Amino acid sequence: MSGLGYALSDTVVLAKRSLLRIPRQPDLLLGFTVQPVMFVLLFVYVFGGAIQTPGFDYEDFLIPGILVQSMAFGGFVTALGLAEDLKKGLIDRFRSLPMSRAAVLTGRTTADIATNVIQVAIMLLVGLAVGFRFQTGVPDVIAGIALLLLLGYAFSWVFAFLGLAASSPEASNAYGFIVILPLTFASSAFVPVETMPSWLQTFAEVQPVTTMVDATRALFLGTPAGNDVWGAVVWAFAIILVFGWLSVWRYRRAVGR
Amino acid sequence: MDGPVVETHALEKRYGDTHALRGVDLRVEPGTIFGLLGPNGAGKTTAVRILTTLLRPDAGSARVAGLDVVEDANRLRERIGLAGQYAAVDENLTGFENLEMVGRLYHLGRRHSRERSRGLLGQFDLADAGDRLVRTYSGGMRRRLDLAAALVARPPVLFLDEPTTGLDIRSRRALWDAIEALVAEGTTVLLTTQYLDEADHLAGRIAVIDHGLLIAEGTPDELKLQVGGDRLEVRLCSRDDNAAARDALAAVGDGRVEGEDGAVRVAIRERTGTIAEAVRRLDERGIAIDDIAVRTPTLDDVFLTLTGHHAEEEAEEAVER
Ligand SMILES: Nc1ncnc2c1ncn2[C@@H]1O[C@H](COP(=O)(O)OP(=O)(O)OP(=O)(O)O)[C@@H](O)[C@H]1O
Ligand SMILES: [Mg+2]
């Protein structure tokens, strides 16, 4: 088999390992299932009444935003898993094996795609139950879901880097929140950007999550897309390239403890 | 293969201010067990990590199985097995799944990986536990699984970092037997240990390291000889007999006699008949004996002589620090 063939088969072996762990750690499973449901319900029923979204029902405004947020956080298992592997010495073992250098990372991020699919499905079902409606045709909806999964994959690479850079699994979790939470809240995900103070608007408009949320709204609700869809795709690939490179660089130097 | 399996020259490694290895030369011959012995913080794990391509040395060079650990790292990884200081197994997989995964990552193929995994589980007394999640395993079971994982691809060179730390006596013996069986089949083993009796029992050659420096190297017997070989030790019932006993025993050994407070030590050349001879001579002079024995120096004596401190004392201090 060729180098690329091995890289792929190593990735499959390790993705399987990551996925096997999920049903065996029921508390992790809660993170993927109950948490998104809770978020949708909280926002719709607690904040929904207080937030003005001219031109939209709040459910319609919210669901694309909250989907992007859950994709942005979907990779937390990757950070947690890598930080644990480092602590337990598994990274030492993997690094001593004649396997692909990137497979430990691609295995994790690939497994995240599967859990992200579950999250998107659950959130869309709950969204539909609370009144969200697609306002575009099937091709756009499918493109929107594909975009969400691409974004989730990109963020998994951010988490891969954080997991390898953090000194412990707990710290990796904290880093994840510190990096991702401001990006998702200071964006168009939950409130219209125009309601923010002007300095925050500037930040919200240039950062990727707003572009990603606007692109998802365009594909689900038919709002004017402008360059948002392509912008979101470019952001996703840029994140994958930069954080993929950083993660592999970090992995090559990683030693246990 | 001809020539040494592991060969290092002036190996150095720093972590910030800590000089973990300060120029270490090692040489391990094929088909032997080499023991790297040292207290906590001596640099054992650092040496193993360099030899298994996990860390790059700051200076010096190392070759394993004829391959440079830096230049030929990729090819080298196909020929080595590593069981690190802490059992590196996935808690959320079964024992079988752990081994199968390692087999697949060595690119053994699915069928071969599975067969080999079942075989190893049996060999390490884990057949019944093989389909249970590792998080239900005891510490000893994890250690055995970890060692099994290092053996999946039948690597010709095996690195074991403190393989028996934390095991009970029975598991320790079983692991020793397993290691000896591998070497009998031609595997070369480099193991680190803090246990003097372990190095003594297993290793054909031992290197003693302390604070990143090699302080002695040789067979267990050579190291013991450095401390002065076998000794006759006599404890007297009355300390007043001290001088008389020294006179009586001078001719038993090679002339070197020391002793005070009713304890007399004599360096001897020949073990056989020494005790009988000594008892006879002391008896003739009416000197009463409380206890008499021939003692072979332990590696702890070696450590004390070479470094001025006991190996295990320092280990305890280091843990407290
Ligand atoms: N990643 C690291 N960063 C900083 N210092 C380190 C690191 N790893 C090891 N050291 C230091 O290097 C020295 C040698 O450590 P090493 O782990 O090689 O010792 P050891 O002989 O394996 O000890 P032990 O018996 O405790 O396992 C120690 O002083 C240790 O504190
Ligand atoms: Mg160590």
Side-chain angles (χ1 to χ4, degrees):
Chain A
M1 219 191 287
S2 67
L4 187 64
Y6 280 136
L8 285 178
S9 76
D10 292 348
T11 298
V12 171
V13 168
L14 288 164
K16 184 182 148 204
R17 161 193 181 227
S18 297
L19 289 175
L20 278 175
R21 134 190 189 145
I22 289 165
R24 292 170 182 180
Q25 280 185 298
D27 39 348
L28 264 186
L29 201 58
L30 282 185
F32 293 123
T33 51
V34 176
Q35 193 170 307
V37 176
M38 235 174 55
F39 259 98
V40 174
L41 298 180
L42 279 178
F43 268 90
V44 169
Y45 294 116
V46 179
F47 301 113
I51 300 173
Q52 302 300 311
T53 49
F56 300 96
D57 289 337
Y58 190 64
E59 298 81 51
D60 289 341
F61 182 85
L62 172 73
I63 293 299
I66 210 165
L67 275 167
V68 170
Q69 191 202 34
S70 71
M71 290 302 98
F73 276 108
F76 84 94
V77 224
T78 282
L80 207 61
L82 286 172
E84 278 176 12
D85 285 354
L86 265 180
K87 190 174 155 189
K88 300 243 166 77
L90 270 158
I91 298 283
D92 281 1
R93 159 141 291 143
F94 291 139
R95 287 187 59 234
S96 76
L97 296 179
M99 56 183 279
S100 147
R101 302 280 83 191
V104 170
L105 309 172
T106 53
R108 292 260 175 207
T109 52
T110 306
D112 285 346
I113 298 177
T115 51
N116 283 340
V117 167
I118 298 173
Q119 288 209 70
V120 169
I122 291 177
M123 294 185 93
L124 281 176
L125 286 175
V126 178
L128 291 169
V130 299
F132 167 77
R133 292 293 174 268
F134 291 113
Q135 277 142 50
T136 50
V138 174
D140 278 2
V141 170
I142 290 175
I145 291 173
L147 177 67
L148 284 169
L149 295 174
L150 174 68
L151 301 176
Y153 185 69
F155 279 105
S156 286
W157 283 99
V158 178
F159 279 104
F161 177 67
L162 293 178
L164 291 172
S167 58
S168 70
E170 294 76 20
S172 79
N173 223 349
Y175 285 144
F177 267 97
I178 292 167
V179 174
I180 308 286
L181 209 64
L183 286 177
T184 56
F185 276 91
S187 79
S188 61
F190 302 105
V191 296
V193 171
E194 300 79 59
T195 61
M196 299 176 186
S198 67
W199 58 270
L200 194 55
Q201 270 187 45
T202 317
F203 171 75
E205 272 157 12
V206 298
Q207 61 114 331
V209 174
T210 297
T211 310
M212 294 168 177
V213 171
D214 291 349
T216 311
R217 284 203 183 108
L219 291 168
F220 284 175
L221 305 175
T223 52
N227 293 322
D228 286 335
V229 175
W230 292 118
V233 171
V234 169
W235 266 114
F237 279 101
I239 292 173
I240 293 171
L241 277 179
V242 171
F243 283 88
W245 184 84
L246 280 173
S247 304
V248 172
W249 167 76
R250 188 76 207 178
Y251 175 80
R252 282 164 176 266
R253 273 154 193 76
V255 264
R257 266 197 294 174
Chain B
M1 192 183 35
D2 301 328
V5 172
V6 177
E7 194 172 22
T8 74
H9 287 295
L11 211 53
E12 282 192 50
K13 182 73 195 177
R14 279 174 188 278
Y15 302 101
D17 290 339
T18 313
H19 215 153
L21 292 179
R22 297 189 278 175
V24 171
D25 295 320
L26 299 175
R27 207 182 142 90
V28 181
E29 300 300 332
T32 62
I33 303 181
F34 188 89
L36 199 56
L37 175 68
N40 283 139
K44 304 181 295 293
T45 297
T46 304
V48 168
R49 284 186 166 153
I50 291 174
L51 294 173
T52 52
T53 77
L54 301 180
L55 273 183
R56 283 162 168 258
D58 293 334
S61 66
R63 296 179 82 77
V64 175
L67 299 167
D68 187 277
V69 295
V70 178
E71 303 299 320
D72 307 316
N74 281 328
R75 278 198 296 152
L76 176 55
R77 292 189 190 105
E78 290 168 14
R79 316 220 177 144
I80 56 172
L82 165 67
Q85 186 164 356
Y86 306 98
V89 287
D90 189 333
E91 306 258 308
N92 296 308
L93 297 182
T94 64
F96 175 75
E97 286 166 347
N98 264 286
L99 296 183
E100 193 205 2
M101 172 177 75
V102 172
R104 299 296 304 275
L105 295 173
Y106 270 112
H107 306 132
L108 296 187
R110 187 194 304 263
R111 243 195 68 206
H112 187 179
S113 297
R114 292 193 170 171
E115 284 168 9
R116 181 80 179 129
S117 302
R118 285 288 170 214
L120 282 166
L121 286 171
Q123 198 180 323
F124 283 90
D125 206 12
L126 290 169
D128 294 337
D131 293 320
R132 256 168 47 201
L133 294 187
V134 169
R135 62 170 182 247
T136 68
Y137 282 23
S138 72
M141 292 163 80
R142 281 168 210 234
R143 262 268 156 229
R144 296 207 299 274
L145 183 65
D146 191 53
L147 187 66
L151 301 179
V152 167
R154 302 179 195 276
V157 193
L158 198 58
F159 293 89
L160 309 174
D161 196 358
E162 300 196 22
T164 65
T165 301
L167 292 189
D168 64 23
I169 301 204
R170 210 182 113 259
S171 316
R172 222 171 145 212
R173 287 270 163 194
L175 210 57
W176 286 1
D177 291 345
I179 294 169
E180 284 177 324
L182 286 166
V183 173
E185 289 166 20
T187 307
T188 306
V189 177
L190 184 148
L191 61 83
T192 77
T193 181
Q194 297 183 38
Y195 300 122
L196 308 160
D197 60 327
E198 181 160 282
D200 196 1
H201 177 93
L202 280 179
R205 292 188 79 79
I206 297 171
V208 184
I209 63 171
D210 192 28
H211 299 298
L213 279 176
L214 202 69
I215 55 174
E217 214 258 319
T219 64
D221 286 339
E222 281 168 6
L223 291 181
K224 286 175 194 163
L225 267 181
Q226 288 192 19
V227 205
D230 292 345
R231 280 196 304 254
L232 176 73
E233 295 193 354
V234 187
R235 206 159 60 237
L236 307 172
C237 288
S238 160
R239 58 175 66 178
D240 301 336
D241 291 337
N242 223 341
R246 289 172 61 155
D247 278 350
L249 295 174
V252 174
D254 61 3
R256 286 181 291 139
V257 185
E258 54 179 61
E260 61 284 322
D261 283 347
V264 179
R265 286 181 296 279
V266 187
I268 54 172
R269 286 201 200 88
E270 182 61 48
R271 294 174 71 106
T272 328
T274 302
I275 290 191
E277 169 84 6
V279 169
R280 197 177 52 76
R281 284 168 182 263
L282 291 170
D283 220 31
E284 274 171 5
R285 297 177 199 212
I287 301 171
I289 304 167
D290 179 38
D291 187 36
I292 183 163
V294 170
R295 199 166 153 261
T296 304
T298 64
L299 284 166
D300 199 32
D301 297 323
V302 176
F303 224 90
L304 189 60
T305 311
L306 294 171
T307 66
H309 57 75
H310 288 282
E312 274 151 12
E313 258 170 30
E314 160 143 334
E316 276 154 27
E317 279 165 26
V319 169
E320 280 159 22
R321 248 186 270 138

